[in-house]
Amino acid sequence: MAVCSKLRRLCARFFRNVLWNPASLLHTFLLGSIYVSLACSRTVLIKLSIRDGGYEYLPVTVNFFAELFKLSICCSLYVHLLLCKEGKSASEIFSVSEIKWHQLFKWAVPGLLYFCDNLIGFYILLHLSAAVYILMQNFVIISTAVLFRIILRRKLNRVQWASLLILFLSIVSLSNDQNELHPEHRERIQRAIIPTEGYFLGSEDGRNVLGRLKEAMGSPNISDGGRNIVGTVRIGEAHILVMVQCVLSSAANIYNEKIFKESGGMEDSILLQNTKLYMFGVFFNTATLFLRPEFRSTALNCGLFYGYNRHTKLLIIVMAFFGLTVAFILKFRDNMFHVMANQLTNVVMITSSVLFLDFHPTLRFFLTAPVVLLAIYIFNAGGKNEVTYFKEKGDTLV
């Protein structure tokens, strides 16, 4: 009996201090593994849902249902907690007079930023392969570091700034790789420019083809007979969109972590905090869906589920749990844990792209990808080495 009692106490202590303790190593491993799995699954499912170089469905509806799913989960769990655990009545829970409006509306900022971040991702993946997209998303390290420096006054040493510059140049170089185009887009454009240089430049039909390409895709340089159309069209749009998305993502995560933890936020339930956040997520997606005439027309005439396939339906669930995982990371870890988890996503996503998405890396990709990962390693190691140096010297980092 004494042995059984002692064993029960040990099991209870393990369950309390390891499985349910957010600071435990096992909790960290599970949180990181879940994040990497969902991040890769989200990107793969978006690519698999593309049909004939585009989306048959409205991406904003996927965001809407994912936000609604997250809101339903967090709100129902929080109401159940108040009713069953704390014994509050329904009138107390849903009383409008108890709402602190100034605290509620601060969640509108990350709600808007996450809405833009998620929507931009759909349009980037129309032009980039999944592997190149994941690697280019490492620009988030640069945007996070700069925002940390501006907002939180965190200083970076010269080694870290140099590594960020190398990372930025590597990402720019990576964006010139023609293999980053979606295979369907590349094949369609190559079929369009297969005719000879004389046909394009010397015939009226050829000039009409180039005119339509320029109108639909930008203003490519045709001085070489159309051979540079692919590279010229794609670079600006894809590169700028990735940078914009990374800045939005960094700002959203930094601000979200701040309001998760400030003013006693760690004592507040994450269910309540997420409920406030996802309320604004649903609002912004709904507003976009009905304020844009083309979106509103498609939704009213064809329904919100128009163009959905099995990948799209699974994508809604994956995006919902991905958002919940990010919330747990920002609540119980920090932004740097989130950024580092993205590095594992790089390895898994590149491997998955080669195995399942018919991605054929070029020589430039093979040369540039290690430079990106090496720059990330130098950035992290540079900060640790300087902290160690100053500790040994008994000085402070300025």
Side-chain angles (χ1 to χ4, degrees), residues 18-77:
V18 177
L19 294 182
W20 278 103
N21 183 10
S24 69
L25 182 61
L26 179 60
H27 191 280
T28 301
F29 175 77
L30 291 176
L31 199 57
S33 300
I34 293 171
Y35 174 85
V36 172
S37 300
L38 292 174
C40 294
S41 300
R42 181 184 65 163
T43 304
V44 170
L45 287 171
I46 291 177
K47 296 297 290 186
L48 292 176
S49 68
I50 295 175
R51 297 289 184 271
D52 297 325
Y55 300 109
E56 296 178 351
Y57 59 90
L58 293 176
V60 69
T61 61
V62 175
N63 286 338
F64 168 77
F65 286 117
E67 294 293 323
L68 187 62
F69 186 31
K70 291 185 289 186
L71 177 62
S72 301
I73 292 175
C74 293
C75 186
S76 59
L77 289 177

Side-chain angles (χ1 to χ4, degrees), residues 102-107 109-110 151-152 254-269 273 276 330-331:
H102 67 285
Q103 294 184 3
L104 175 63
F105 280 102
K106 68 182 180 181
W107 294 93
V109 176
I151 298 175
L152 301 179
I254 291 174
Y255 186 85
N256 209 19
E257 181 185 354
K258 182 175 182 294
I259 59 179
F260 261 133
K261 299 176 179 178
E262 71 176 0
S263 303
M266 290 302 296
E267 283 71 40
D268 294 337
S269 171
Q273 292 172 323
K276 297 175 183 178
L330 297 179
K331 174 81 172 184

Side-chain angles (χ1 to χ4, degrees), residues 3 12 22 30 37 53 59 85 90 94 127-128 131 149 190 214 228 234 247 252 258 282 306 309 324 371 395:
V3 174
L30 291 176
S37 300
K85 301 294 183 180
F94 298 104
H127 303 284
L128 302 181
R149 180 69 183 91
Q190 287 174 345
K214 291 172 67 177
N228 287 336
R234 169 192 36 79
V247 172
K258 182 175 182 294
V282 171
Y306 173 75
N309 51 52
L324 292 170
V371 176
D395 203 349

Side-chain angles (χ1 to χ4, degrees), residues 88 91-101 103 276:
K88 291 188 176 182
S91 59
E92 292 177 314
I93 296 174
F94 298 104
S95 175
V96 178
S97 60
E98 298 294 328
I99 298 177
K100 298 178 181 178
W101 295 101
Q103 294 184 3
K276 297 175 183 178

Side-chain angles (χ1 to χ4, degrees), residues 119-167:
L119 202 57
I120 289 175
F122 280 91
Y123 295 102
I124 294 176
L125 283 168
L126 279 177
H127 303 284
L128 302 181
S129 67
V132 175
Y133 169 67
I134 287 294
L135 270 179
M136 289 185 67
Q137 272 201 320
N138 285 300
F139 185 82
V140 76
I141 298 177
I142 301 175
S143 56
T144 300
V146 172
L147 289 174
F148 270 155
R149 180 69 183 91
I150 296 173
I151 298 175
L152 301 179
R153 305 295 182 184
R154 294 187 183 179
K155 296 184 180 296
L156 300 178
N157 58 55
R158 285 172 292 183
V159 174
Q160 289 178 307
W161 281 117
S163 66
L164 291 181
L165 178 60
I166 295 172
L167 179 62

